[in-house]
Amino acid sequence: MTVAAVEAQKETDALAGINGKASGTIEELTEKLVEQTKALRESVQVSISSVSELNQVTYTLSKGQSLSASAVADLILKYPELAAQIRKTTDGWIFEGQILEKIRQAKLKKAIDDLKAEGDSTRAVAMESLKRIQFYGQEFQSITTFAEARDKIKDIEKEITEEQKKNAS
């Protein structure tokens, strides 16, 4: 093998290494997206469950029924703001005012906000990934000599390192 061939092989290997680092960075972004999406979905599920529970309590109270002490205790543990609006009746307990509706509306708003945040987060990561893919594609297309390849490799490695430091913060 000639010296030029060895140098060419080194440059090719270095470019392959950069390509692997770029792929790794995109994979990191994807993993973050998956984690964020999972957390947001869990939050949405909790909010939806809360809304369902509050709907059932509201329905029960709207029918003129009261709640048992244990049902009220469970609700107050989940929603401490209910404690100030509780009233004893001859048959059990009820909540005064529109407190249940206010809590229900807050939970609905949170679920909607979480769904919007999930969509925004997904779009942001997808756009960032596409920008990186396009950038690296343009960088690789512009390389015509081994000297340029060496310079580009150094620049890209520096950029990846800086981006990884930024993402770690």
Side-chain angles (χ1 to χ4, degrees), residues 8-117:
Q9 185 60 46
K10 284 181 184 178
E11 298 300 332
T12 303
D13 291 347
L15 284 173
I18 290 297
N19 188 32
K21 286 183 181 181
S23 296
T25 302
I26 292 169
E27 286 174 11
E28 288 173 16
L29 287 171
T30 303
E31 286 175 20
K32 277 187 178 181
L33 173 64
V34 168
E35 290 171 14
Q36 289 174 349
T37 301
K38 183 179 176 184
L40 285 169
R41 283 188 181 150
E42 288 172 2
S43 178
V44 168
Q45 289 296 6
V46 167
S47 295
I48 290 171
S49 176
S50 296
V51 169
S52 295
E53 180 180 39
L54 291 168
N55 283 344
Q56 184 59 45
V57 171
T58 301
Y59 177 78
T60 299
L61 294 175
S62 73
K63 295 296 179 188
Q65 299 175 0
S66 54
L67 301 171
S68 68
S70 64
V72 168
D74 287 343
L75 286 169
I76 290 173
L77 286 174
K78 290 179 188 173
Y79 315 104
E81 58 269 37
L82 291 174
Q85 299 293 323
I86 192 167
R87 184 169 56 94
K88 174 81 169 119
T89 66
T90 55
D91 296 331
W93 300 89
I94 62 169
F95 294 104
E96 295 181 341
Q98 295 294 317
I99 190 71
L100 290 173
E101 183 60 22
K102 288 178 184 176
I103 294 171
R104 190 178 84 74
Q105 288 298 326
K107 293 294 180 181
L108 280 172
K109 183 178 180 333
K110 182 170 178 4
I112 290 167
D113 291 347
D114 286 349
L115 286 171
K116 285 180 183 176

Side-chain angles (χ1 to χ4, degrees), residues 108-166:
L108 280 172
K109 183 178 180 333
K110 182 170 178 4
I112 290 167
D113 291 347
D114 286 349
L115 286 171
K116 285 180 183 176
E118 181 181 339
D120 292 346
S121 176
T122 301
R123 266 190 299 285
V125 170
M127 292 305 293
E128 182 65 26
S129 296
L130 285 174
K131 286 179 189 176
R132 286 174 184 262
I133 290 167
Q134 289 171 344
F135 171 75
Y136 290 127
Q138 290 169 353
E139 289 291 319
F140 289 135
Q141 287 176 355
S142 69
I143 297 172
T144 57
T145 67
F146 289 120
E148 287 177 355
R150 272 191 296 269
D151 292 342
K152 293 293 181 186
I153 288 170
K154 287 177 187 174
D155 291 344
I156 292 171
E157 284 178 337
K158 182 179 175 185
E159 186 177 320
I160 288 172
T161 302
E162 289 172 2
E163 188 67 30
Q164 287 173 339
K165 286 179 185 176
K166 183 176 126 182

